Each structure stands twice: as structure tokens, then as C-alpha cells.
Amino acid sequence: MLTLIDTIRTAALNWVAYRRTVAELSALPVDTLLDLDIYSGDIPALARDAVYGQVRRYSTPAYRTDGLRFLTNPIHA
């Protein structure tokens, strides 16, 4: 069973890993980021996913990743 100290320690280690990942990705040259298909604005989200696991960002079934969001968004229906 995790104690409060273990939980705090894990959270601190995850935060350090997140900050290190952001710093390392941010230090890469732009041409390297483009070769890796990484937009600099996506670096925090990529680091978060790498450290904490992929987080579900959209809870509505109307969101689509194929660019056809406007077809399924209830606001536009």
C-alpha cells in the first residue's frame, strides 16, 4: 500500500521527468524537430504523455481525428 510519502515522492519524480523531457525536446534544433514531425507547441503535451501516459483529452464522442470535426460537432448539426 502506498503511503503519503510514496505518493509525494512519485509525483515529484514524475514532475522532474516531465520538466527534463520538455527541456531536452526544447533544446533540439528546429530542423530536427521537423524531421521528427514535432511542432514546438506540442512539446509539453508530448512530454506529459511520455511521463504520465497518454491522457484522453476529449471526452465527447463528437471529436474526430481525421479532420472532419465540423461534420460531427453537435453545435454545427
Side-chain angles (χ1 to χ4, degrees):
M1 180 167 172
L2 289 177
T3 64
L4 178 61
I5 298 297
D6 292 330
T7 304
I8 293 171
R9 180 178 184 274
T10 301
L13 290 173
N14 284 341
W15 180 81
V16 168
Y18 167 77
R19 294 302 310 156
R20 182 180 299 140
T21 305
V22 168
E24 289 179 3
L25 287 174
S26 297
L28 291 174
V30 174
D31 58 338
T32 303
L33 290 174
L34 292 175
D35 287 343
L36 296 172
D37 200 25
I38 297 174
Y39 169 66
S40 61
D42 292 337
I43 289 175
L46 290 170
R48 186 174 48 251
D49 290 350
V51 173
Y52 298 104
Q54 188 169 5
V55 179
R56 186 173 178 189
R57 289 183 180 77
Y58 302 98
S59 60
T60 60
Y63 180 77
R64 295 179 58 138
T65 58
D66 59 2
L68 299 175
R69 183 175 182 181
F70 68 96
L71 293 177
T72 59
N73 190 334
I75 294 172
H76 301 290

